[in-house]
Amino acid sequence: MSPTRRQRARLGFQLPMALGLTVIWILLWGHFGLLEVVGGFLVATVVLRVFPLPPVQFDGTIRPLPFVKLVAQFVYDLVTASIQVVRIALTFGKQPMNAIIKVPLHARSDLYLTFTAELSSLVPGGLLLEVSREESTLYLHVIGVRSEADVDAARARVLRQERRLMEAIASKDELAAYRARAQGSLA
Amino acid sequence: MTVVVWICAAMLGVAALLTLLRMALGPTTLNRTVAMDTFVAILVAGLGVGAAYTRSTTSIPIIVVLSLVGFVGSVSVARFVGREGKGGTLEGESS
Amino acid sequence: MTWSAFSDVASAVCLLAGSFLALTAAIGLVRFPDLFTRMHAATKPQVLGLLLILGGVAFRVRDAGDLGMLAIVAIFQLLTAPVSAHMVGRAAYRTTTVRQDLLLTDELADPDTR
C-alpha cells in the first residue's frame, strides 16, 4: 500500500469523524450556539490529532431502502431477542442449552466485519466470543439451542444480517465481490 | 402517573437487589463485572424514571456520565482479567 | 385525546415495559447457570429496557437539548453494549473453564476449526 493512498484514506475519514464528534459535543452541552460549534470542532480536531485512528477504508454508499430494512429488522430482532431471554429467564425448572458456533463471513473488510459483529451481538442468540480477522470468522455463543437445526438457523441468521448490511451500505464493487463469494460458498 | 412510577420503582428496586445478590455470589470477577454493568444500567433506569416523573432535567447529565462510566469500567476489568490467563489468581472457583 | 395526555400514556407504557425488562435481566442474571447465559440476560433485555426508559423520559421532557442528551445515551448504549459484552465474553472464554455440559456444540474448542 502506498503511503499517499493511506494518508488520503485517513484524511477522508477524519473530516466526517470530526464533524460527528462536534455533533456529539453539541448534544452533550444540550445547547446549539456558536460557542458550542466552534469549541466542539476544536476539541474534535485535537482529539483526532492526539489519538489518531487507523485508516478505515469506506467507499460505500448508503442505499435508503435496504438501510431502512436493515434498521427495521434490527429493531425487530432486538425485541424478539429480549422476549426470548425473558421467556428463558422466567421459565421455571429446566436450564437452557447453549452452543458456541462458528460463522465464516463472506465480506472481507474490517468495517463490515465490525458492523456485522456489533449487530449480531444484539439479535436472538448472539454473544460474540472471538473474532478472527484473517479469516473473517465470528465465534458466537447462542442461548436456547435445542437441536442441530437451531444451530444452523442461528448461523443463517448471522449471515442474513451480513447480507442486509452489505446491501445497505457496501459499494457496488464490494457488493458484487461479496455476492460472488456467497454464491461460491453455497455451491 | 404516580402509580406507574411506584410500580416501576418497585420493579427496579427488586432488580437492583438481585444484581447485588449476583455481585455478592460471584463466583468470578467477570460475573461481578456483568452484575455491576447491569446495576449501573438499573441505576440509569431509576434516574430516568425519576426524571420522567418530575419532568426535571437536572439528572439527565448524570445519566449520560453513568452510561459512559459503566462501559469504561467493564471493558477495563475485562482486559485486566484477560491478561491473567488460565489459572490466574483472579478467578476464584470456576463458574 | 390531547397530545399531552397521549404522551403521558406513551411515557407510562415505555417506563413500565423498560422496568419490567430490567427486572427480568436481573432475574436472568441470578438464575442462569453460567457466565455466558448471564451475559445474554445482561445485554439484550437490559439494552432494550434502557432504550424504553429513555423513550419514556423523552415523552415527558420537551426541551430539545435534553432530547439530544437522551439520544446520545441511546446511541452510546447501542454502540458500547456489544463491545463490552464481547470484551467480557472473550476474557471469560480464555480464562475460565467453560461448562461443556451446557453446550450442544463448541466449535471454538474444536482444534481443526481454529
Side-chain angles (χ1 to χ4, degrees), chain A residues 173-186:
Chain A
D173 295 348
E174 285 169 331
L175 190 58
Y178 160 75
R179 283 203 169 123
R181 254 193 307 270
Q183 282 291 322
S185 78
L186 281 179

Side-chain angles (χ1 to χ4, degrees), chain C residues 30-76:
Chain C
V30 173
R31 280 201 62 215
F32 283 165
D34 73 336
L35 179 65
F36 298 118
T37 37
R38 280 173 205 152
M39 284 173 64
H40 276 282
T43 46
K44 279 157 224 146
Q46 187 225 290
V47 167
L48 186 64
L50 210 53
L51 290 182
L52 282 168
I53 297 263
L54 292 174
V57 181
F59 274 117
R60 293 273 294 180
V61 298
R62 296 287 141 72
D63 188 52
D66 294 322
L67 291 181
M69 275 193 226
L70 292 174
I72 275 215
V73 176
I75 292 168
F76 277 149

